Amino acid sequence: MGSPNDWDLMKPAADALEALGVASDVRVISAHRTPARHHDYVVGAADAGIEIFICGAGFAAHLAGVTAALTRLPVLGVPLDSSALDGIDALLATVQMPGGIPVATFGIGKAGAKNAGLFAGAILARSDVSVAKALEEYRAAQTAAVPETPF
Ligand code: RP5
């Protein structure tokens, strides 16, 4: 995420991963203010065992796009509603990538962060039976929690 202040919005991604038994490495990395930290973390990520990036940023959100430029690993982008434009600026900056450098972009804010975490789990579930089982159980519990009537 681009700022410590983004944690409140991005925590649902970490929570979703934890619910699936997937370890996450949470970092504050600013595409604009810590470019060297950004570069070094991303280029070293594959060797460090990172499999997927989830990048949350607000304003002119370049974190996900620049991350995708530096790695072939999947990059999931979460536009954050931390600016006067309520995340519309970050949404457009994240989703409108030029052809050739894909960023899978999710909804603005907490719901997008949660879905990015679940989607990362779905990717990992393709080759990890324990994550697949956890994801099935998560979905079953979610379904069971929906009442048939409002009374
Ligand atoms: C913060 O600046 C926002 O919430 C956003 O995530 C971040 C963007 O950081 P830069 O990459 O532009 O430094 O205030």
Side-chain angles (χ1 to χ4, degrees), residues 115-127:
N115 282 342
L118 293 173
F119 195 84
I123 294 172
L124 297 171
R126 300 276 300 158
S127 58

Side-chain angles (χ1 to χ4, degrees), residues 30-89:
S30 161
H32 302 121
R33 291 169 290 125
T34 66
R37 186 191 304 176
H38 188 191
H39 174 275
D40 293 350
Y41 183 77
V42 176
V43 299
D47 286 344
I50 302 293
E51 296 183 66
I52 299 168
F53 288 95
I54 302 176
C55 299
F59 291 77
H62 294 121
L63 186 62
V66 178
T67 298
L70 291 168
T71 182
R72 59 169 178 71
L73 295 172
V75 177
L76 315 187
V78 183
L80 300 182
D81 43 336
S82 56
S83 77
L85 299 185
D86 287 334
I88 296 297
D89 44 0

Side-chain angles (χ1 to χ4, degrees), residues 119-146:
F119 195 84
I123 294 172
L124 297 171
R126 300 276 300 158
S127 58
D128 186 322
V129 291
S130 70
V131 179
K133 184 168 178 292
L135 189 54
E136 283 177 17
E137 289 171 357
Y138 180 97
R139 294 288 290 264
Q142 180 172 254
T143 298
V146 179

